[in-house]
Amino acid sequence: MALREILHFPDPRLRLVARPVEGVDDSVRTLIDDMFETMYAAPGIGLAATQINVQRRILVADVSEDQSAPHCLINPEILSRDGEEEMDEGCLSVPGFYERVRRAERIRVRALNRDGESFEMAVDGLLAVCIQHEIDHLDGKLFVDYISTLKRNRIRKKLVKQAARAPSEGPSLAGSAANL
Ligand code: QAP
Ligand code: CO
């Protein structure tokens, strides 16, 4: 298992569209393990492969308080959407910024699990929002795309400035912070 570096907005690689996983093999399962480890370490509640610079259609999510409800979706497809909900969203790729976004309240999703078997699930609440947010990542879309250009540009400017100040901040530095 390994921590992977998370790309930050406005990195153009976050705009790439991920391609479907052709076969769920051990290399895909290792990638999924790394995604969970990276998400939990952050800590976050959702992570898409695109965020760690892997253009494959894979997402992980766990909205529980105690890491007790891990979900892994490979080649996820939204089958239906119902209702509307507005929630404050954040993103590991847009650290420190939170904005209100409107999404479907309930969705049905079909995906492959880590054994390559197809499954469907009906989700609502935070998990439904999270899965929609992560599927957006696989299509090169970010939550800041739903807010005003003015707000988005303000966030971009701050993150670009921050990246210039801490050019090599990544998993290694974050991991060693506990020893400082
Ligand atoms: C997506 O986001 C999400 O700014 C997952 O400094 C978020 O895990 C879906 C995070 C909210 C629905 C609602 C963000 C951690 C984590 C930050 C995350 C930060 C540290 C975000
Ligand atoms: Co995100």
Side-chain angles (χ1 to χ4, degrees), residues 18-55:
R19 61 183 192 280
V21 172
E22 305 264 343
V24 181
D25 56 17
D26 283 344
S27 73
V28 169
R29 282 183 281 270
T30 299
L31 171 63
I32 291 165
D33 290 343
D34 288 354
M35 288 174 65
F36 274 115
E37 190 181 354
T38 303
M39 176 184 77
Y40 286 135
I45 59 169
L47 185 74
T50 306
Q51 293 177 272
I52 56 164
N53 196 28
V54 174
Q55 282 75 44

Side-chain angles (χ1 to χ4, degrees), residues 84-167:
E84 270 187 6
E85 175 158 48
E86 269 200 331
M87 210 182 268
D88 272 331
E89 293 190 20
C91 179
L92 290 171
S93 294
V94 191
F97 297 91
Y98 302 85
E99 296 289 345
R100 216 154 182 77
V101 176
R102 183 181 310 147
R103 300 195 187 264
E105 186 183 4
R106 290 174 300 277
I107 55 171
R108 270 197 84 78
V109 221
R110 177 163 56 217
L112 303 179
N113 65 18
R114 57 182 293 137
D115 296 316
E117 300 158 344
S118 182
F119 70 99
E120 285 183 24
M121 61 193 236
V123 289
D124 61 14
L126 182 56
L127 184 58
V129 170
C130 190
I131 288 173
Q132 292 172 77
H133 173 118
E134 302 311 331
I135 290 175
D136 269 358
H137 275 300
L138 303 179
D139 292 321
K141 200 156 188 186
L142 299 168
F143 84 90
V144 293
D145 298 344
Y146 296 103
I147 65 179
S148 73
T149 307
L150 183 74
K151 278 188 179 176
R152 186 167 54 254
N153 285 340
R154 209 160 59 201
I155 292 171
R156 176 189 288 115
K157 200 172 160 184
K158 287 181 181 166
L159 286 177
V160 165
K161 196 178 264 184
Q162 206 168 293
R165 226 181 286 121

